[in-house]
Amino acid sequence: MVRMAFQLIGFIILAGTVSAQEGQMVRMNLADCLARALLVSPDLEQAEINVKLMEARFSEAKSSTILPQLQLTQIFGPAPGIEGDPNNVETIRSDLGNLGIFSRTSVELLQPIYTFGKIRGAQDAARAGLEAGEAGVDRKKEDIVLQIRSLYHSLVLAMALREVVLEGQVDVQKARKRVNELIEEDSDDVGQNDLFKIDVFDYEVK
């Protein structure tokens, strides 16, 4: 799950980078991210390919009771001539100097009449496989949407918290500057201990 999420993010970044021209920033909202993820996801593409294979198998199973099966067999090869008395089998020999061509062609036409449920079973299995494949595509889409939504909102939250932290760093610098000014003025309200507290807080912010 985690690996697939990072793959999706990687594909989205790659696709966005390719579409950017001359270093322009590509801005994407949640809808854009979802559309891009569903477009470039290799897992979703594989699931859709599997559905196409299942559709072909289902179509083949349905046509098995309608269309006859035609099988063409052709055999050919070199055939030596014969020499000797045809009426005397013992005198007949192969004449390799007189080669010919042997050829045989057969055509078989099969039309299923009753297969004791075999064809119906194949159709039911193919139909179930197709339905499972289609359900797999829908489930994969839902997984991708869920992951992208989670990652997107996590990113938005992280960016908002970063702004808070940056503002906190500015406030820390202002506080340090003010404490130093009061220390230089020999104020009794602050001391070196306050600077130490500010340094500790600054460290935690960083």
Side-chain angles (χ1 to χ4, degrees), residues 30 148-158:
L30 178 57
I148 295 301
R149 285 182 181 276
S150 176
L151 292 170
Y152 181 87
H153 290 299
S154 296
L155 178 60
V156 172
L157 176 61

Side-chain angles (χ1 to χ4, degrees), residues 39-67:
L39 180 64
V40 304
S41 170
D43 294 324
L44 181 58
E45 181 181 4
Q46 183 60 47
E48 292 173 343
I49 291 176
N50 291 336
V51 168
K52 293 185 181 300
L53 293 176
M54 294 299 178
E55 289 176 347
R57 292 178 181 175
F58 182 52
S59 177
E60 181 180 357
K62 287 196 302 182
S63 64
S64 60
T65 58
I66 302 173
L67 301 178

